[in-house]
């Protein structure tokens, strides 16, 4: 009999396979609507289904994508010919995951800060998701940088939520992806992002230990250490160096792997940053991507709601997946963009 711990570790290893990363396609209704609106795509369930069918049926996607994070609606959807998306992913060698948080809400008493909700009934939901074929899950907490924020209260409350979620996932046999995102909004410096990211990671791992989460059977999905969007820009090397330094200081070597979010960076920049992180010191954990926008932006724009553009859109997704797969090995070069 396979012990649950062994199967968690095995799933985590599969997700962190060399040269592969994760496709985050778990936009909630509001986020998906915000992506569709500027392109004039009607914000309907059928259009979300069509778009996500395009993504999961991309030929050769499994060469570079180890896992796909789905929104709950998508987990139970089918392709036009009636094949469940979960089966399409499985046939492509891609592990199915599910976003299980219920989104971030204002944190009472702390203006400008948010707390991620979704713990109520989570144990039961996880059973349902596992029965539908999900083998990993994701929960995102958001931390804003600004005047006097983040507060210790926001950091501690969000870290505790992440740890309680992670423990419930492991109980259900699902690998938790723990996503504490320090936002890029603002004009703060690279150094400020590094300090806040470090403080958040310290608290997240304190809480994960308190909640007895098996580190080898979980993955971390952090932000890269970047200046705020309105701050003084940093070079690719500065971002890579600050990010790796922070993670080496704060993330235990036992963690199954680290897969970054892109957080609003342009697609090529997110690739270049990941690649640069593989040019220096040996790393104690595999380091790859779990991008949403930085994998999908080109594909969504190319599709634009019209299935006549489907093949080109799939090629755009595959291109980004291939470039980031190379970056996860430190083998990316701009020449790959033109292949
Ligand atoms: C930070 O967002 C995650 C990674 O996406 P990017 O690479 O675009 O930053 C992403 O998985 C996110 O958690 C999902 O898109 C769900 O977000 P919402 O806002 O819809 O809950």
């Amino acid at each position: 009999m396979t012990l649950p711990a062994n199967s968690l570790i095995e799933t985590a290893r599969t997700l962190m396979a060399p040269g592969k990363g994760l496709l985050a396609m778990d936009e909630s209704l509001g986020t998906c609507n915000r992506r569709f609106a500027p392109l004039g795509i009607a914000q309907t369930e059928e259009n979300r289904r069509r778009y996500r069918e395009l993504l999961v049926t991309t030929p050769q996607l499994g060469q570079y994508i180890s896992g796909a994070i789905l929104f709950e609606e998508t987990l139970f959807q089918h392709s036009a010919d009636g094949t469940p998306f979960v089966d399409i992913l499985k046939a492509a060698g891609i592990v199915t995951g599910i976003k299980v948080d219920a989104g971030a809400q204002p944190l009472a008493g702390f203006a400008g800060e948010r707390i991620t909700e979704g713990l109520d009934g989570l144990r039961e939901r996880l059973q349902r998701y596992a029965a539908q074929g999900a083998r990993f899950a994701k929960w995102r907490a958001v931390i804003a940088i600004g005047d006097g924020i983040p507060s210790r209260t926001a950091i501690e409350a969000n870290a505790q939520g992440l740890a309680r979620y992670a423990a419930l996932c492991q109980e259900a046999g699902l690998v938790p992806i723990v996503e504490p995102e320090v936002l890029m909004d603002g004009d703060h410096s690279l150094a400020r992002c590094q300090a806040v990211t470090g403080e958040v990671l310290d608290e997240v791992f304190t809480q994960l230990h308190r909640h007895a989460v098996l580190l080898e059977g979980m993955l971390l999905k952090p932000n890269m250490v970047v200046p705020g969007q309105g701050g003084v820009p940093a070079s690719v090397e500065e971002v890579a160096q600050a990010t790796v330094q922070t993670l080496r200081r704060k993330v235990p070597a036992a963690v199954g792997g680290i897969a970054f979010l892109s957080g609003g960076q342009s697609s090529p920049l997110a690739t270049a940053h990941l690649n640069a992180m593989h040019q220096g010191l040996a790393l104690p954990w595999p380091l790859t991507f779990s991008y949403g926008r930085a994998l999908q932006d080109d594909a969504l724009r190319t599709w634009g709601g019209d299935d006549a553009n489907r093949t080109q859109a799939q090629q755009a997704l595959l291109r980004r997946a291939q470039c980031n797969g190379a970056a996860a090995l430190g083998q990316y070069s701009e020449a790959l963009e033109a292949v």
Side-chain angles (χ1 to χ4, degrees):
M1 193 183 88
T2 314
L3 294 170
N6 286 350
S7 80
L8 290 171
I9 294 168
E10 195 184 306
T11 301
R13 284 202 184 124
T14 303
L15 290 171
M16 297 307 292
K20 294 189 184 185
L22 285 83
L23 169 61
M25 46 179 285
D26 59 321
E27 298 83 6
S28 54
L29 300 182
T31 306
C32 198
N33 288 345
R34 276 198 299 281
R35 305 264 192 272
F36 279 9
L39 299 170
I41 304 169
Q43 296 146 39
T44 63
E45 179 176 349
E46 176 55 10
N47 278 344
R48 290 192 295 276
R49 194 205 60 74
R50 284 170 62 225
Y51 173 58
R52 284 157 171 166
E53 175 175 343
L54 178 159
L55 297 178
V56 300
T57 57
T58 297
Q60 277 104 52
L61 194 63
Q63 280 183 29
Y64 311 108
I65 298 294
S66 56
I69 312 172
L70 308 185
F71 182 55
E72 187 183 35
E73 172 184 90
T74 318
L75 183 68
F76 297 92
Q77 283 176 332
H78 303 71
S79 65
D81 72 5
T83 313
F85 284 164
V86 176
D87 291 352
I88 293 171
L89 290 169
K90 197 169 182 189
I94 298 172
V95 183
T96 294
I98 168 88
K99 162 198 168 73
V100 302
D101 65 73
Q105 298 298 331
L107 179 63
F110 291 83
E113 300 199 276
R114 289 186 285 164
I115 178 71
T116 300
E117 296 187 344
L119 287 170
D120 287 353
L122 182 57
R123 178 176 269 130
E124 294 71 29
R125 284 198 289 131
L126 291 173
Q127 299 293 343
R128 218 154 45 84
Y129 301 150
Q132 182 66 13
R135 285 171 56 203
F136 70 100
K138 196 209 78 174
W139 177 290
R140 171 175 174 248
V142 289
I143 301 290
I145 297 181
D147 275 349
I149 63 171
S151 64
R152 278 303 304 169
T153 305
I155 292 174
E156 288 170 16
N158 276 294
Q160 203 174 67
L162 282 164
R164 289 182 60 195
Y165 137 82
L168 282 165
C169 283
Q170 291 192 336
E171 178 188 271
L174 297 176
V175 169
I177 297 189
V178 171
E179 181 180 6
E181 178 180 8
V182 176
L183 297 171
M184 284 169 64
D185 304 341
D187 57 5
H188 52 271
S189 64
L190 181 79
R192 177 108 167 93
C193 180
Q194 181 166 24
V196 172
T197 301
E199 185 180 354
V200 169
L201 291 174
D202 273 342
E203 187 59 31
V204 166
F205 282 99
T206 297
Q207 293 296 335
L208 289 168
H209 284 299
R210 281 201 191 136
H211 287 263
V213 172
L214 178 75
L215 297 183
E216 293 85 347
M218 64 154 274
L219 303 179
L220 179 71
K221 176 163 171 168
N223 53 286
M224 295 182 191
V225 174
V226 291
Q229 270 160 338
V232 178
S235 69
V236 168
E237 289 68 30
E238 284 169 333
V239 167
Q241 200 265 341
T243 303
V244 168
Q245 185 182 64
T246 307
L247 295 175
R248 285 175 61 90
R249 287 176 176 170
K250 305 295 180 184
V251 181
V255 166
I258 298 176
F260 290 103
L261 59 91
S262 57
Q265 301 175 53
S266 73
S267 303
L269 198 55
T271 307
H273 284 152
L274 178 62
N275 188 61
M277 288 179 213
H278 288 277
Q279 308 305 322
L281 295 170
L283 303 169
W285 0 249
L287 202 61
T288 188
F289 59 94
S290 175
Y291 299 157
R293 285 160 285 182
L295 281 172
Q296 293 184 50
D297 277 357
D298 294 349
L300 179 59
R301 207 176 316 110
T302 305
W303 178 59
D306 184 350
D307 280 344
N309 304 323
R310 196 184 146 90
T311 303
Q312 279 172 300
Q314 290 182 327
Q315 284 165 353
L317 172 64
L318 193 67
R319 166 75 45 82
R320 293 270 36 97
Q322 182 183 16
C323 288
N324 285 299
L329 298 170
Q331 294 170 3
Y332 167 75
S333 71
E334 273 181 32
L336 270 180
E337 300 283 354
V339 172

